[in-house]
Short mmCIF file of all heavy atoms in Angstrom, two decimals:
data_model
loop_
_atom_site.label_atom_id
_atom_site.label_comp_id
_atom_site.label_asym_id
_atom_site.label_seq_id
_atom_site.Cartn_x
_atom_site.Cartn_y
_atom_site.Cartn_z
N THR A 33 20.52 35.47 -18.38
CA THR A 33 21.19 34.76 -17.29
C THR A 33 20.94 33.26 -17.39
O THR A 33 21.86 32.45 -17.19
CB THR A 33 20.71 35.28 -15.92
OG1 THR A 33 20.94 36.69 -15.85
CG2 THR A 33 21.44 34.59 -14.79
N SER A 77 32.89 24.86 -32.09
CA SER A 77 31.66 25.63 -31.82
C SER A 77 31.49 25.99 -30.35
O SER A 77 30.90 27.04 -30.04
CB SER A 77 30.44 24.83 -32.31
OG SER A 77 30.44 23.53 -31.78
N PHE A 94 23.63 45.28 -18.80
CA PHE A 94 24.40 46.43 -18.38
C PHE A 94 24.66 47.48 -19.46
O PHE A 94 25.13 48.58 -19.14
CB PHE A 94 25.77 45.99 -17.84
CG PHE A 94 25.70 44.93 -16.78
CD1 PHE A 94 26.09 43.63 -17.06
CD2 PHE A 94 25.25 45.23 -15.51
CE1 PHE A 94 26.03 42.65 -16.09
CE2 PHE A 94 25.19 44.26 -14.53
CZ PHE A 94 25.58 42.97 -14.82
N LEU A 112 16.91 37.71 -30.25
CA LEU A 112 16.76 37.01 -31.53
C LEU A 112 18.10 36.89 -32.25
O LEU A 112 18.36 35.87 -32.91
CB LEU A 112 15.74 37.75 -32.41
CG LEU A 112 14.29 37.72 -31.92
CD1 LEU A 112 13.40 38.53 -32.86
CD2 LEU A 112 13.77 36.29 -31.79
N VAL A 187 22.38 15.55 -50.22
CA VAL A 187 22.98 15.32 -48.90
C VAL A 187 23.49 16.66 -48.37
O VAL A 187 24.29 17.34 -49.03
CB VAL A 187 24.14 14.31 -48.98
CG1 VAL A 187 24.82 14.16 -47.62
CG2 VAL A 187 23.64 12.96 -49.47
N ASP A 229 31.53 51.54 -41.62
CA ASP A 229 30.27 52.28 -41.52
C ASP A 229 29.34 51.64 -40.50
O ASP A 229 28.75 52.33 -39.66
CB ASP A 229 29.59 52.34 -42.89
CG ASP A 229 30.40 53.12 -43.90
OD1 ASP A 229 30.80 54.25 -43.59
OD2 ASP A 229 30.65 52.60 -45.00
N TYR A 421 49.48 52.06 -33.45
CA TYR A 421 48.24 52.86 -33.45
C TYR A 421 47.58 52.89 -32.09
O TYR A 421 46.90 53.85 -31.75
CB TYR A 421 47.28 52.44 -34.56
CG TYR A 421 46.74 51.04 -34.58
CD1 TYR A 421 45.78 50.62 -33.67
CD2 TYR A 421 47.15 50.14 -35.56
CE1 TYR A 421 45.26 49.34 -33.72
CE2 TYR A 421 46.63 48.86 -35.63
CZ TYR A 421 45.69 48.46 -34.70
OH TYR A 421 45.18 47.20 -34.76
#
Side-chain angles (χ1 to χ4, degrees):
T33 303
S77 52
F94 308 108
L112 292 178
V187 176
D229 295 309
Y421 61 73

